Amino acid sequence: MLANEQARGGRCWRCSSLVSVKEMVQWFLKITDYADELLDGLEHVVFPENVRLQQQDWLGRSEGALIRFPVVDSDEVIETFTTRPDTIFGVTFVTIAPENPLAERLVAGTEHEDAWRELRAEVLGISDMERGMLRDKKGVFLGKHAINPLNGEKVPIYAGNFVIATYGTGSVMAVPGHDQRDYDFAEEYGIPIRQVLLEHDGDVPADELDRAFEGYGPMVNSSRDGFDGLAGKDAISAVIAMLEKEGAGHGTVEWKLRDWGFSRQRYWGTPIPIIHCDKCGEVPVPEEDLPVELPDDVDFELPDDVDFEGKGNPLARVAAFLNVDCPTCGAAAKRETDTMDTFVDSSWYFMRYMDPSNSDVCFDADAAEYWMNVDFYCGGIEHAQLHLIYARFWTKALRDLGLHSHDEPFQKLLCQGMVNAPTPFCEACNTTLHVEHRETGVCPHCGGPLRERSAKMSKSEGNTVNPTPIVEKYGADTMRLFMLFSANPTAGMDWSDTAIVSNFRQLNTIWSLPAQVAGWGDAASPVDNWLAARFRQRQREWRAAMDDVELRVAVRISHYEFNTDLQWYRRRGGSNKELVTGMLRELAPMLHPATPHIAEELWEETGGEGLLAAHLIGEMGAEQEGDASELAAEQYLRSLLEQARKMRGLAARHLEGEPREVTIQCAESWKGELCRMGMDLREEDFDMKSALKVIMTREFAHDAEVRKQIPGVWKRVQKQLFKWSPDEKGILRAEVDEVATITAATDFLASELGVDSVQVWTAGEGDDVGDKARFAFPLEPGIAYQ
RNA sequence: GCAGGGAUUCCCGAGUGGUCAAAGGGGGCGGGCUCAAGAUCCGCUGCUCAGUGCUUCACAGGUUCGAAUCCUGUUCCCUGCACCA
């Protein structure tokens, strides 16, 4: 026994066995009573859009009308549900599900009885799911006619294999002019097709239609006054009003959601607390006897004479469990042996967590009041239509029983992506199979060939990766880091562990940091301030990423970026043992969520007190005075180095031998001023075209030589306005002294660029080496090699 | 069929209008260290070039001063629902 949600492609979502249709007496939960609330509640929770859509889809609310078609020469009435009452004048036949009991009553005694029986047998032999896959529309005339209640017209009644008995009323009014499915059917059986809606205002109704028009348009050809010309909602409500006035129907709402059939014929489930008494019927187990516990002396071996098929519940063979006295009359009675779907248990476990050791009640109302609802819930997208609907329903039901006062169980939902791995797949059955079928390479259901396909890792398919060997080889921290670094939480991934070694190396590097630093000196150096500012920046970034559950980004910052920064610090001559040791101690809490073991070690090694896991992470990395300019200057140097290196490669081709000297000419101050003017003007949305006039009035423009260059430079500035990064704009705003910055780092630059000396001045203040002064632009000095 | 999500430089993958020739990782190539290997560090990895250039983000159009990013159409892939009246 499965709920509708638990069948996929005509097979059990767990074990892939074929679903077949059987009549059974079952217990249902009336989840449909909560349909409205389940839909409306989606507005009040923070769910990913696709989950919201999937739930909406599953609930499947449709507004429409119930319309009654009396059967000619009979007391029978066919009730139909439609979302398109505006097409009622186009009804040319009525279709009902073959297994609808009404069909049998109608066809009885007519010549069409045999044909109907055949169709019904065909439909019953397959599940709803497979029925959905049928493309052929088949129907049988039932030998009777129905009367269109609004115009009195007689239309034939058919049984159709595409009508679902359990949706709506199991009967459909067919409008071939405006429903493609009805159109196909009408074509097949030679039924008239009538146009009763125009596609566009003013169209002339066609004599023949080559397809159904399913949109909303003005009514036409109505057989009663007052309807032609009405369109969409107006048309629908006018028809409904008329139906209600004449007692032929009414406006109503249908749902796709069905009641939750939660009986399972299995041992493993919560017993349904009902006792069957011959005299009193179904009697609930008295509250003081709850919960009904499963017997633990169950014989799971089937007796030889029991056929396995259909006799799956071993509970039915435990006499001590089965035989009880009726709580009402005391007569001998039988206990219900069906158990609840295990989704019942997952529907409220989080509430039990709030009061786990309570032995009197499932949970204390005060505890639930205090803790509920769950602030942040993380689960797979596959639960969108199962667990997440059941749990929402259960929460509302418990609320109505007075156990707590919350409407929704989960406030914010994050769906992590699924990790996929190759799995055997049968194309013919459209089913993924357990990896054990790889050996035979043959589908156990149809015997067809299997191919491989990427599918979500799951126990049922066995395509899982056992972490133990990886943990043994690289450690649990590596495993954790690898998984976090592989993909962001909401993205899925195909499993591949080729990159795991690089994560292992990275952890080794982090591991070795304290020992490395221990060999450094105590001397402070000019880059110390930069590293400190950089670290604070990283802390802020990390914190923001964690708050947004951007775990991959967070891990990159904590486990990778810091090391990258440290390497730059070393290249720039930094070697302050005390500074960096303190920083490592601050890094440890950032490492902890992903790689707790190594974080604890680092914490202890760098003088942290107690267990790091016991510390709360507070605010971190508050920006300090001067951080921005510190970062700006260093970034300038970094990009300068990149430019200079690029230039060096080009220069080497033109020089005989390796370059020995580099001359850097920084932009004149007026160019910087021009840049700042450009930024100002842009922020003010000033018209750039007339800006040149304003510029020419500035003091620096009085110099004739400068004046000549201004138009060209201004053009460049305008282009750069869009290209500068916020950091670069910051450097320009801060009026970072390029010459001073470079001068302070000439030794560093010389060694990085492999030259003997670095000379630097503002263009115009020294020789124009290599005619490069003309290239000098703020942030991009002229560079010449000799 | 309907709904949702995709297609990025050798590979994985980030990237929602200028910060982009495009993060990060992998791989490859070169260099430092080393007797050597591993580890590690540095550089290169679209084309052109003593520099402000060119051509790229599935394909074809469009909007914009400016598009990987927005719009339209096309192709292909994935996921969910599947004759819901």
Side-chain angles (χ1 to χ4, degrees), chain A residues 656-684:
Chain A
E656 292 172 13
E658 291 291 299
R660 303 271 32 119
E661 192 178 295
V662 61
T663 305
I664 300 172
Q665 303 191 66
C666 297
E668 301 90 327
S669 63
W670 65 266
K671 288 183 181 167
E673 202 170 320
L674 216 49
C675 292
R676 285 185 287 281
M677 280 180 70
M679 289 189 282
D680 289 342
L681 291 174
R682 196 176 138 66
E683 274 160 29
E684 293 163 16

mmCIF file of all heavy atoms in Angstrom, chain A residues 656-684:
data_model
loop_
_atom_site.group_PDB
_atom_site.id
_atom_site.type_symbol
_atom_site.label_atom_id
_atom_site.label_comp_id
_atom_site.label_asym_id
_atom_site.label_seq_id
_atom_site.Cartn_x
_atom_site.Cartn_y
_atom_site.Cartn_z
ATOM 1 N N GLU A 656 68.582 43.525 -26.087
ATOM 2 C CA GLU A 656 69.589 42.479 -26.237
ATOM 3 C C GLU A 656 69.932 42.014 -24.852
ATOM 4 O O GLU A 656 70.466 42.758 -24.049
ATOM 5 C CB GLU A 656 70.824 43.038 -26.960
ATOM 6 C CG GLU A 656 70.498 43.379 -28.407
ATOM 7 C CD GLU A 656 71.636 44.114 -29.086
ATOM 8 O OE1 GLU A 656 72.746 44.140 -28.509
ATOM 9 O OE2 GLU A 656 71.406 44.662 -30.165
ATOM 10 N N GLY A 657 69.543 40.795 -24.531
ATOM 11 C CA GLY A 657 69.797 40.276 -23.182
ATOM 12 C C GLY A 657 68.690 40.664 -22.221
ATOM 13 O O GLY A 657 67.707 41.296 -22.585
ATOM 14 N N GLU A 658 68.848 40.236 -20.981
ATOM 15 C CA GLU A 658 67.840 40.457 -19.950
ATOM 16 C C GLU A 658 67.816 41.920 -19.535
ATOM 17 O O GLU A 658 68.863 42.561 -19.456
ATOM 18 C CB GLU A 658 68.169 39.597 -18.724
ATOM 19 C CG GLU A 658 67.988 38.108 -18.964
ATOM 20 C CD GLU A 658 66.528 37.724 -19.123
ATOM 21 O OE1 GLU A 658 65.767 37.932 -18.179
ATOM 22 O OE2 GLU A 658 66.163 37.239 -20.218
ATOM 23 N N PRO A 659 66.631 42.416 -19.233
ATOM 24 C CA PRO A 659 66.572 43.785 -18.716
ATOM 25 C C PRO A 659 67.245 43.895 -17.347
ATOM 26 O O PRO A 659 67.158 42.974 -16.538
ATOM 27 C CB PRO A 659 65.076 44.067 -18.605
ATOM 28 C CG PRO A 659 64.382 42.777 -18.776
ATOM 29 C CD PRO A 659 65.317 41.812 -19.403
ATOM 30 N N ARG A 660 67.955 45.017 -17.122
ATOM 31 C CA ARG A 660 68.679 45.200 -15.863
ATOM 32 C C ARG A 660 68.070 46.284 -14.983
ATOM 33 O O ARG A 660 68.374 46.389 -13.819
ATOM 34 C CB ARG A 660 70.156 45.571 -16.141
ATOM 35 C CG ARG A 660 70.910 44.585 -16.982
ATOM 36 C CD ARG A 660 71.595 43.460 -16.209
ATOM 37 N NE ARG A 660 70.920 43.024 -14.984
ATOM 38 C CZ ARG A 660 70.462 41.788 -14.790
ATOM 39 N NH1 ARG A 660 70.548 40.865 -15.723
ATOM 40 N NH2 ARG A 660 69.909 41.466 -13.649
ATOM 41 N N GLU A 661 67.237 47.098 -15.640
ATOM 42 C CA GLU A 661 66.743 48.260 -14.908
ATOM 43 C C GLU A 661 65.330 48.590 -15.373
ATOM 44 O O GLU A 661 65.027 48.441 -16.549
ATOM 45 C CB GLU A 661 67.669 49.437 -15.215
ATOM 46 C CG GLU A 661 67.469 50.634 -14.335
ATOM 47 C CD GLU A 661 68.478 51.724 -14.712
ATOM 48 O OE1 GLU A 661 69.680 51.490 -14.541
ATOM 49 O OE2 GLU A 661 68.034 52.773 -15.200
ATOM 50 N N VAL A 662 64.492 48.979 -14.427
ATOM 51 C CA VAL A 662 63.154 49.385 -14.818
ATOM 52 C C VAL A 662 62.882 50.793 -14.307
ATOM 53 O O VAL A 662 63.248 51.140 -13.186
ATOM 54 C CB VAL A 662 62.099 48.372 -14.319
ATOM 55 C CG1 VAL A 662 62.093 48.266 -12.804
ATOM 56 C CG2 VAL A 662 60.709 48.763 -14.816
ATOM 57 N N THR A 663 62.278 51.591 -15.179
ATOM 58 C CA THR A 663 61.927 52.955 -14.804
ATOM 59 C C THR A 663 60.409 53.092 -14.855
ATOM 60 O O THR A 663 59.788 52.763 -15.869
ATOM 61 C CB THR A 663 62.552 53.962 -15.783
ATOM 62 O OG1 THR A 663 63.958 53.711 -15.828
ATOM 63 C CG2 THR A 663 62.272 55.378 -15.316
ATOM 64 N N ILE A 664 59.872 53.548 -13.731
ATOM 65 C CA ILE A 664 58.414 53.678 -13.631
ATOM 66 C C ILE A 664 58.064 55.156 -13.542
ATOM 67 O O ILE A 664 58.586 55.872 -12.687
ATOM 68 C CB ILE A 664 57.887 52.937 -12.388
ATOM 69 C CG1 ILE A 664 58.255 51.450 -12.484
ATOM 70 C CG2 ILE A 664 56.384 53.116 -12.249
ATOM 71 C CD1 ILE A 664 57.957 50.653 -11.233
ATOM 72 N N GLN A 665 57.232 55.585 -14.443
ATOM 73 C CA GLN A 665 56.808 56.986 -14.420
ATOM 74 C C GLN A 665 55.330 57.055 -14.093
ATOM 75 O O GLN A 665 54.481 56.600 -14.877
ATOM 76 C CB GLN A 665 57.087 57.640 -15.777
ATOM 77 C CG GLN A 665 58.543 57.554 -16.172
ATOM 78 C CD GLN A 665 58.849 58.436 -17.375
ATOM 79 O OE1 GLN A 665 58.766 59.658 -17.289
ATOM 80 N NE2 GLN A 665 59.201 57.818 -18.480
ATOM 81 N N CYS A 666 55.036 57.613 -12.933
ATOM 82 C CA CYS A 666 53.644 57.682 -12.489
ATOM 83 C C CYS A 666 52.961 58.904 -13.095
ATOM 84 O O CYS A 666 53.603 59.873 -13.481
ATOM 85 C CB CYS A 666 53.570 57.764 -10.969
ATOM 86 S SG CYS A 666 54.239 56.289 -10.177
ATOM 87 N N ALA A 667 51.629 58.812 -13.131
ATOM 88 C CA ALA A 667 50.850 59.877 -13.753
ATOM 89 C C ALA A 667 50.970 61.193 -12.988
ATOM 90 O O ALA A 667 51.080 61.206 -11.766
ATOM 91 C CB ALA A 667 49.383 59.454 -13.831
ATOM 92 N N GLU A 668 50.941 62.296 -13.740
ATOM 93 C CA GLU A 668 50.957 63.619 -13.132
ATOM 94 C C GLU A 668 49.705 63.813 -12.278
ATOM 95 O O GLU A 668 48.657 63.220 -12.567
ATOM 96 C CB GLU A 668 50.982 64.694 -14.242
ATOM 97 C CG GLU A 668 52.166 64.599 -15.171
ATOM 98 C CD GLU A 668 51.901 63.700 -16.380
ATOM 99 O OE1 GLU A 668 51.141 62.705 -16.228
ATOM 100 O OE2 GLU A 668 52.443 63.951 -17.461
ATOM 101 N N SER A 669 49.795 64.682 -11.294
ATOM 102 C CA SER A 669 48.698 64.818 -10.335
ATOM 103 C C SER A 669 47.406 65.297 -11.014
ATOM 104 O O SER A 669 46.311 64.938 -10.604
ATOM 105 C CB SER A 669 49.081 65.775 -9.214
ATOM 106 O OG SER A 669 49.304 67.062 -9.750
ATOM 107 N N TRP A 670 47.544 66.090 -12.066
ATOM 108 C CA TRP A 670 46.317 66.585 -12.696
ATOM 109 C C TRP A 670 45.505 65.461 -13.329
ATOM 110 O O TRP A 670 44.282 65.537 -13.439
ATOM 111 C CB TRP A 670 46.616 67.696 -13.707
ATOM 112 C CG TRP A 670 47.438 67.288 -14.921
ATOM 113 C CD1 TRP A 670 48.783 67.388 -15.047
ATOM 114 C CD2 TRP A 670 46.960 66.741 -16.144
ATOM 115 N NE1 TRP A 670 49.201 66.936 -16.267
ATOM 116 C CE2 TRP A 670 48.084 66.532 -16.977
ATOM 117 C CE3 TRP A 670 45.695 66.401 -16.630
ATOM 118 C CZ2 TRP A 670 47.995 65.991 -18.260
ATOM 119 C CZ3 TRP A 670 45.603 65.869 -17.922
ATOM 120 C CH2 TRP A 670 46.748 65.669 -18.722
ATOM 121 N N LYS A 671 46.171 64.405 -13.710
ATOM 122 C CA LYS A 671 45.427 63.271 -14.281
ATOM 123 C C LYS A 671 44.576 62.603 -13.191
ATOM 124 O O LYS A 671 43.433 62.192 -13.432
ATOM 125 C CB LYS A 671 46.373 62.248 -14.901
ATOM 126 C CG LYS A 671 47.004 62.737 -16.208
ATOM 127 C CD LYS A 671 47.891 61.675 -16.835
ATOM 128 C CE LYS A 671 48.531 62.176 -18.121
ATOM 129 N NZ LYS A 671 49.623 61.271 -18.580
ATOM 130 N N GLY A 672 45.153 62.507 -12.007
ATOM 131 C CA GLY A 672 44.393 61.974 -10.878
ATOM 132 C C GLY A 672 43.176 62.838 -10.578
ATOM 133 O O GLY A 672 42.080 62.344 -10.316
ATOM 134 N N GLU A 673 43.424 64.144 -10.663
ATOM 135 C CA GLU A 673 42.319 65.075 -10.393
ATOM 136 C C GLU A 673 41.207 64.900 -11.422
ATOM 137 O O GLU A 673 40.023 64.931 -11.089
ATOM 138 C CB GLU A 673 42.855 66.509 -10.436
ATOM 139 C CG GLU A 673 41.990 67.482 -9.672
ATOM 140 C CD GLU A 673 42.671 68.836 -9.518
ATOM 141 O OE1 GLU A 673 43.899 68.873 -9.280
ATOM 142 O OE2 GLU A 673 41.971 69.837 -9.659
ATOM 143 N N LEU A 674 41.618 64.674 -12.648
ATOM 144 C CA LEU A 674 40.658 64.452 -13.718
ATOM 145 C C LEU A 674 39.812 63.204 -13.436
ATOM 146 O O LEU A 674 38.602 63.183 -13.666
ATOM 147 C CB LEU A 674 41.418 64.302 -15.041
ATOM 148 C CG LEU A 674 40.795 64.860 -16.313
ATOM 149 C CD1 LEU A 674 40.317 66.282 -16.132
ATOM 150 C CD2 LEU A 674 41.788 64.785 -17.469
ATOM 151 N N CYS A 675 40.482 62.167 -12.939
ATOM 152 C CA CYS A 675 39.766 60.936 -12.596
ATOM 153 C C CYS A 675 38.729 61.199 -11.519
ATOM 154 O O CYS A 675 37.579 60.736 -11.603
ATOM 155 C CB CYS A 675 40.733 59.862 -12.082
ATOM 156 S SG CYS A 675 41.837 59.237 -13.351
ATOM 157 N N ARG A 676 39.137 61.945 -10.493
ATOM 158 C CA ARG A 676 38.204 62.223 -9.399
ATOM 159 C C ARG A 676 37.042 63.080 -9.881
ATOM 160 O O ARG A 676 35.892 62.873 -9.492
ATOM 161 C CB ARG A 676 38.942 62.872 -8.230
ATOM 162 C CG ARG A 676 39.775 61.863 -7.446
ATOM 163 C CD ARG A 676 40.402 62.467 -6.213
ATOM 164 N NE ARG A 676 41.507 63.368 -6.542
ATOM 165 C CZ ARG A 676 42.744 62.965 -6.862
ATOM 166 N NH1 ARG A 676 43.031 61.674 -6.892
ATOM 167 N NH2 ARG A 676 43.686 63.823 -7.156
ATOM 168 N N MET A 677 37.338 64.018 -10.772
ATOM 169 C CA MET A 677 36.259 64.823 -11.350
ATOM 170 C C MET A 677 35.288 63.923 -12.115
ATOM 171 O O MET A 677 34.074 64.075 -12.017
ATOM 172 C CB MET A 677 36.832 65.864 -12.312
ATOM 173 C CG MET A 677 37.390 67.095 -11.633
ATOM 174 S SD MET A 677 38.030 68.261 -12.857
ATOM 175 C CE MET A 677 36.501 68.830 -13.613
ATOM 176 N N GLY A 678 35.853 63.013 -12.855
ATOM 177 C CA GLY A 678 35.017 62.090 -13.626
ATOM 178 C C GLY A 678 34.080 61.307 -12.720
ATOM 179 O O GLY A 678 32.886 61.190 -12.988
ATOM 180 N N MET A 679 34.658 60.800 -11.609
ATOM 181 C CA MET A 679 33.825 60.022 -10.679
ATOM 182 C C MET A 679 32.727 60.891 -10.082
ATOM 183 O O MET A 679 31.578 60.462 -9.957
ATOM 184 C CB MET A 679 34.703 59.422 -9.585
ATOM 185 C CG MET A 679 35.590 58.286 -10.093
ATOM 186 S SD MET A 679 36.437 57.395 -8.763
ATOM 187 C CE MET A 679 37.764 58.508 -8.364
ATOM 188 N N ASP A 680 33.098 62.138 -9.732
ATOM 189 C CA ASP A 680 32.098 63.057 -9.168
ATOM 190 C C ASP A 680 30.976 63.331 -10.158
ATOM 191 O O ASP A 680 29.799 63.231 -9.823
ATOM 192 C CB ASP A 680 32.763 64.394 -8.797
ATOM 193 C CG ASP A 680 33.669 64.252 -7.586
ATOM 194 O OD1 ASP A 680 33.515 63.244 -6.866
ATOM 195 O OD2 ASP A 680 34.530 65.125 -7.382
ATOM 196 N N LEU A 681 31.384 63.662 -11.370
ATOM 197 C CA LEU A 681 30.400 64.012 -12.385
ATOM 198 C C LEU A 681 29.461 62.844 -12.667
ATOM 199 O O LEU A 681 28.263 63.024 -12.863
ATOM 200 C CB LEU A 681 31.106 64.442 -13.680
ATOM 201 C CG LEU A 681 31.846 65.777 -13.606
ATOM 202 C CD1 LEU A 681 32.633 66.023 -14.881
ATOM 203 C CD2 LEU A 681 30.863 66.920 -13.374
ATOM 204 N N ARG A 682 30.037 61.667 -12.646
ATOM 205 C CA ARG A 682 29.219 60.493 -12.922
ATOM 206 C C ARG A 682 28.191 60.271 -11.817
ATOM 207 O O ARG A 682 27.029 59.957 -12.079
ATOM 208 C CB ARG A 682 30.094 59.268 -13.051
ATOM 209 C CG ARG A 682 29.357 58.117 -13.699
ATOM 210 C CD ARG A 682 30.243 56.942 -13.927
ATOM 211 N NE ARG A 682 29.525 55.721 -13.586
ATOM 212 C CZ ARG A 682 28.459 55.281 -14.246
ATOM 213 N NH1 ARG A 682 27.991 55.962 -15.267
ATOM 214 N NH2 ARG A 682 27.856 54.176 -13.885
ATOM 215 N N GLU A 683 28.647 60.451 -10.591
ATOM 216 C CA GLU A 683 27.715 60.280 -9.474
ATOM 217 C C GLU A 683 26.587 61.298 -9.546
ATOM 218 O O GLU A 683 25.468 61.033 -9.122
ATOM 219 C CB GLU A 683 28.468 60.399 -8.138
ATOM 220 C CG GLU A 683 29.064 59.058 -7.707
ATOM 221 C CD GLU A 683 30.182 59.214 -6.690
ATOM 222 O OE1 GLU A 683 30.165 60.202 -5.922
ATOM 223 O OE2 GLU A 683 31.086 58.354 -6.688
ATOM 224 N N GLU A 684 26.901 62.474 -10.097
ATOM 225 C CA GLU A 684 25.866 63.506 -10.202
ATOM 226 C C GLU A 684 25.051 63.350 -11.476
ATOM 227 O O GLU A 684 24.211 64.194 -11.768
ATOM 228 C CB GLU A 684 26.514 64.903 -10.229
ATOM 229 C CG GLU A 684 27.198 65.286 -8.941
ATOM 230 C CD GLU A 684 28.153 66.453 -9.148
ATOM 231 O OE1 GLU A 684 28.052 67.127 -10.196
ATOM 232 O OE2 GLU A 684 29.003 66.675 -8.272
#
